[in-house]
Structures are given as C-alpha cells and as structure tokens.
Amino acid sequence: MLKNKTIGSMLIVAGTTIGAGMLALPIASAGLGFSTALTLIVGCWLLMTYTALLMLELHQYAPRDATLNTLAKLWLGKRGQYVANFSVIFLFYALCAAYIAGGGAQLQDRINTGFNVSIAPQLASVLLAVLIAGVVTLGTSKVDKFNRVLFSIKIVVLASLFYMLTPYVHGQHLLEMPVEQGLILSAIPVVFTSFGFHGSIPSIVKYVGLEIKTLRKVMIAGATLPLGIYIFWQILSQGIMNQNDLLNSQGLSGFVQSMASIAHNPNVATAVKLFADLALATSFLGVSLGLFDFFADTFKKTDTKADRIKTALITFIPPLGFAIFYPQGFIMALGYAAIALVILAVFLPVAMVYKQRKSTQNTGYKVRSGNIGLAIAALCGLTIISAQGLQMAGLIPAIG
C-alpha cells in the first residue's frame, strides 16, 4: 500500500511541476544557447529539490497534517505565519484563477468544436472548477488516481511529440554560443517557476505519513522526472531551430507553428495543444490540493463530508469568481509569481530550518550542507527576486 502511495505521490509532484509553463521554456531560454540553458535548468532543479528536502526536515517535528501555516507558526511565530499565509493564498489563488480562466477557454474550444455547440467561456470555467473541486474534495487518494490517468496520457503525448520531432534535431544548433549573456536574467524567473511543487508537499506528507526515507524518494524522484523531460524538450526545441530563429518566434503559438512547419507535420501542433490541456489539469490538481489542505489546517477543518465541502468552497469560489468577473486582475498577479514562490519555497524553508536547528529538538533527519547550504539557497532566492524586479522595472526584457 505504501509503495502504491509512493508512486502516486511522485506523480503528483511531477504532475504539479510539469505544467503548461514547460512550453514556455524554449522561448524563455531563447538566445542563451543549449549549454547555458541546461546549466540554468539543472541549477533551479537543485535549488527546489534542496528546499523540498528542507521542508521534510521540518515536517518530522510537526503533526502529520501540518501545512505551511502550522510550520511557520511553530518556528517563526505570528509574523512568520502571516507572511507564509499571505504568500500561499496570493500565489495559489492567482494560479487557480489562471487555471480556471485559461482552462475554461481551452475547455470551451474543445466542447464547441467536438460537439458542434456554442457555450460561453464562463460556463466552461465553472465546469472545469466543479470537476477539479469534486476530485480534490474526495481526498488525496482520488487525486492520486485521477492524476495517474492524466499523467500517463501526458507521457504518451510527449513521447509521440518527441518521436515526431527528434529526426529534425541538428547537433550544430546545440553547440551555438549565447546571443547575449544578459538574457539569462530574463530566463531565471520562468525556469525557476517551472519547478514549483512545494505547495503540494504538506498534502503528500499527510497522504504518505511521516516516513522520511519514503518522502525523500518522492521528492527527489518527483522533481527529477520533470528535469529529464525538460532537458529532452530543450534538446528538441533548441536542436530544431537556431538561436536567432527562437528569439524571433512570435510567442508560443509562433514557436509551435515553426516546429510543425519544420517537421512537415500538422500533428505537432495538435500534440502540443493536447499536452497543454493535460499539463494544465495536472498542475491545477496539485496546486488546488495543496491549497485545500492549507485551508483545512488554517481553519481547523476535519475530514468529515460537511467540513470538506466547506473547505472546498473556500478553496475554489474566490478564484472562480475572479476568473469569471475580473480575470485580468489575477492574471496580472501572476507577474509576481516568481517572487511569491521564492518566499514560499526558498526563504521560508531556509528561515524555519535555521531556527529549528538552533533548537534543542534536532535529533532526526537533517539535510546535508549545513548553514552554508542555507546561505547559498537564500542567495539564489535573492537573485531570482532581483531578476523578476528588473523585468518588472523594464530594465531587462520579459520573455517566455
């Protein structure tokens, strides 16, 4: 049973990580050259895997159902708890609103095309939110089962996409030097957010139990699977087109059309669309599951049917309302996603582990690297925030 939960939890981590943002990676890293892009991707993977393990170090000293709300209160007090709560609610509501708005538009298109009808995008958004809310409300085990099906289909779609594109990869494109070294600052926030899964960690701990050895496998394997897929995706995208062509792509749609044209296969665009649908669904599941359990912990809700429905309403009604009546507000908020994620997934784990290690209760699992590792992680977080700030100020281009 535990082995079954372990595999399912790995896929929840990977499914949350491999979202539609993966499609933006080639655009975000355009002009960097393959080796520089690869270094950046591996660096972000190392950072996020390290801080995920820091979270496990904290969870072993807290109740099984603890979320960031409880963890922050334990080690950072009320002020830390407020910062953690604001970061989680801001980021996850923004993501959920974006998933509902974007996914609703995609669902509307599929329903209208497939059934030759005409439904409003608002209705499609409601249908998507109700579907995901229903699965999440039923519990992590149901999310696990549903996610496995979606993730399996997603892997098949990716494999077919790779099969269609691999013959058109040219080695010389992968050896091209960066067009401009400064572009790396523009790419950092996009690549960093492509490894965001930390909000689902408390749900996985609650699901698997405080089995640190098993949870380490879940975090490392769950984060490594996206790493492998991202690297292969970069080989394809940067091997098919040279750096200047990538830079001149007219956004994601132009990039996809260029790939389909080079491969002389319109099925490439179809596969990318299907992948985007599945990626959005698995990411939405992972993010909303983390937010659901966060609210259950914050408001001290139990696992009774009535309480789970109340928690679901708190989780899904606000982002659904914003997605329908004021979508631009929360879509704009996604511009701050990297900053909120740095606070959530880097600064808070580093600060809490630092405080925890200074306490007398420090006899369990401990992530290697000591205070030097914590300092390096914090410095990386500052670099990401600086890059995002420079983009927002218009000092470097916002790409991806």
Side-chain angles (χ1 to χ4, degrees):
M1 181 66 178
L2 183 59
K3 185 178 180 181
N4 198 36
K5 285 185 176 182
T6 302
I7 295 171
S9 297
M10 288 177 185
L11 294 182
I12 289 175
V13 169
T16 305
T17 307
I18 306 173
M22 167 186 157
L23 299 174
L25 285 178
I27 314 297
S29 57
L32 294 183
F34 176 72
S35 57
T36 305
L38 179 63
T39 301
L40 182 56
I41 288 171
V42 172
C44 288
W45 168 75
L46 283 170
L47 172 64
M48 295 299 262
T49 304
Y50 173 72
T51 57
L53 296 179
L54 291 181
M55 291 295 294
L56 297 187
E57 183 176 330
L58 293 166
H59 272 283
Q60 66 187 330
Y61 301 110
R64 175 172 172 168
D65 60 352
T67 65
L68 198 57
N69 170 67
T70 299
L71 296 175
K73 186 178 180 182
L74 277 173
W75 283 288
L76 302 178
K78 283 286 185 182
R79 288 184 181 179
Q81 185 183 27
Y82 294 148
V83 171
N85 289 355
F86 177 79
S87 300
V88 170
I89 294 170
F90 174 84
L91 178 62
F92 283 19
Y93 268 168
L95 288 173
C96 286
Y99 290 144
I100 292 169
Q106 290 173 219
L107 183 60
Q108 177 206 21
D109 180 61
R110 307 301 178 265
I111 292 175
N112 288 353
T113 303
F115 297 96
N116 195 26
V117 295
S118 181
I119 67 168
Q122 292 85 352
L123 177 59
S125 292
V126 172
L127 289 173
L128 177 64
V130 169
L131 174 63
I132 298 296
V135 175
V136 170
T137 304
L138 289 173
T140 307
S141 62
K142 294 296 185 294
V143 172
D144 178 3
K145 291 180 175 65
F146 193 47
N147 182 72
R148 288 187 197 209
V149 173
L150 295 177
F151 195 87
S152 299
I153 300 171
K154 186 160 70 172
I155 292 300
V156 171
V157 172
L158 273 177
S160 65
L161 192 60
F162 292 161
Y163 176 78
M164 289 185 280
L165 294 176
T166 300
Y168 301 94
V169 171
H170 298 285
Q172 67 266 29
H173 291 334
L174 299 176
L175 299 175
E176 290 179 1
M177 297 300 289
V179 174
E180 185 184 336
Q181 291 288 358
L183 289 171
I184 193 169
L185 288 174
S186 298
I188 285 174
V190 178
V191 177
F192 170 70
T193 52
S194 296
F195 284 98
F197 63 88
H198 291 56
S200 60
I201 292 176
S203 300
I204 290 168
V205 172
K206 182 180 176 181
Y207 182 47
V208 174
L210 289 168
E211 300 284 341
I212 297 298
K213 189 176 180 181
T214 301
L215 288 169
R216 282 187 78 254
K217 290 180 183 176
V218 168
M219 298 304 147
I220 294 172
T224 303
L225 180 56
L227 173 67
I229 290 173
Y230 289 172
I231 290 173
F232 201 37
W233 178 236
Q234 288 294 115
I235 291 173
L236 288 178
S237 58
Q238 295 194 312
I240 287 175
M241 302 167 68
N242 62 44
Q243 294 300 304
N244 286 319
D245 286 343
L246 273 172
L247 273 173
N248 294 325
S249 294
Q250 297 298 309
L252 179 58
S253 60
F255 167 66
V256 171
Q257 289 304 320
S258 295
M259 286 198 302
S261 176
I262 291 169
H264 308 292
N265 192 341
N267 290 329
V268 168
T270 303
V272 170
K273 281 184 180 179
L274 182 54
F275 171 80
D277 292 343
L278 294 165
L280 185 144
T282 55
S283 291
F284 191 7
L285 274 173
V287 167
S288 56
L289 175 65
L291 185 59
F292 182 96
D293 284 338
F294 170 81
F295 280 133
D297 176 43
T298 303
F299 296 111
K300 308 303 177 188
K301 298 296 183 184
T302 63
D303 272 338
T304 62
K305 185 177 179 180
D307 271 2
R308 291 191 72 82
I309 291 174
K310 290 176 185 176
T311 306
L313 292 174
I314 300 169
T315 302
F316 291 97
I317 292 296
L320 176 60
F322 275 101
I324 292 174
F325 299 109
Y326 187 55
Q328 65 271 30
F330 266 79
I331 300 302
M332 285 170 57
L334 287 176
Y336 300 88
I339 295 175
L341 187 59
V342 167
I343 295 170
L344 175 74
V346 180
F347 290 159
L348 284 172
V350 165
M352 289 188 291
V353 166
Y354 179 74
K355 290 294 291 287
Q356 191 279 321
R357 287 177 182 177
K358 290 178 68 176
S359 69
T360 54
Q361 187 185 25
N362 193 15
T363 57
Y365 167 68
K366 187 175 180 179
V367 183
R368 294 178 182 178
S369 76
N371 288 337
I372 294 176
L374 298 181
I376 292 172
L379 185 61
C380 290
L382 286 172
T383 303
I384 296 163
I385 285 182
S386 299
Q388 182 77 71
L390 289 171
Q391 279 190 12
M392 293 164 62
L395 298 176
I396 58 174
I399 56 178

